[in-house]
Each structure stands twice: as C-alpha cells, then as structure tokens.
C-alpha cells in the first residue's frame, strides 16, 4: 500500500476499528496493510469499513484493474431527482 494511501486511511480510522468491523484481529489488518497483500475475500469488506476512502483497485490492481471497479454506484443523481 502506498504511503499516501496509508496516511489517508489511518487519518479516517485505525486498525483496531477496521478489525472489529471485519470480525478479525488487529494483527491480521496490520499484516495486510504492511505487506500490501489483502485476501481477495476481504477487499470489499475492508473498503466498505473505511467508506471507500481506499478503493479495491488501490488494494489489488490485478483483481480490480479499473480504478472504478467495485465502487458503489449513486442510487440517483441530482438530474434524475429533478425529472421525477
């Protein structure tokens, strides 16, 4: 994980809180962040836990090759609301 990504991430929350949300240990989260290797099944839950401040693409570009892969889609846009 890039240093600026780590700084952004841990400016929002901490490893213990992420671990609590993912129902795993803080040591696991530390290992993933330090090594930069996230188990594929943990990538989306990790991103959700931090409000997508870190994207799936940032965690595993091989698994999520496009920067917008697996990002949540806005349910409606301002324009759609106005047309209703």
């Amino acid at each position: 994980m890039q240093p600026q990504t780590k700084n952004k991430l841990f400016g929002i929350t901490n490893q213990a809180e992420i671990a609590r949300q993912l129902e795993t240990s803080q040591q696991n989260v530390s290992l993933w962040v330090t090594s930069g290797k996230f188990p594929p099944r943990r990538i989306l839950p990790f991103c959700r836990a931090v409000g997508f401040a870190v994207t799936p693409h940032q965690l595993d570009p091989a698994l999520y090759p496009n920067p917008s892969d697996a990002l949540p889609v806005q349910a409606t846009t301002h324009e759609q609301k106005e047309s209703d």
Side-chain angles (χ1 to χ4, degrees):
M1 184 179 291
Q2 297 291 325
Q4 66 267 29
T5 304
K6 280 185 193 179
N7 292 339
K8 181 179 179 182
L9 176 63
F10 295 119
I12 295 168
T13 190
N14 59 54
Q15 292 179 2
E17 177 58 23
I18 295 168
R20 184 189 67 74
Q21 290 185 41
L22 298 180
E23 298 178 351
T24 191
S25 69
Q26 183 272 329
Q27 290 83 359
N28 280 339
V29 174
S30 178
L31 175 65
W32 304 335
V33 170
T34 302
S35 70
K37 295 178 182 176
F38 288 75
R41 70 183 184 88
R42 295 292 195 166
I43 291 174
L44 290 178
F46 185 96
C47 292
R48 278 189 213 101
V50 299
F52 286 90
V54 176
T55 66
H57 174 77
Q58 290 172 306
L59 299 182
D60 192 341
L63 189 58
Y64 299 96
N66 296 313
S68 62
D69 281 348
L71 293 179
V73 177
Q74 293 284 355
T76 59
T77 64
H78 181 68
E79 294 81 28
Q80 288 173 328
K81 288 180 184 178
E82 288 180 349
S83 67
D84 290 341

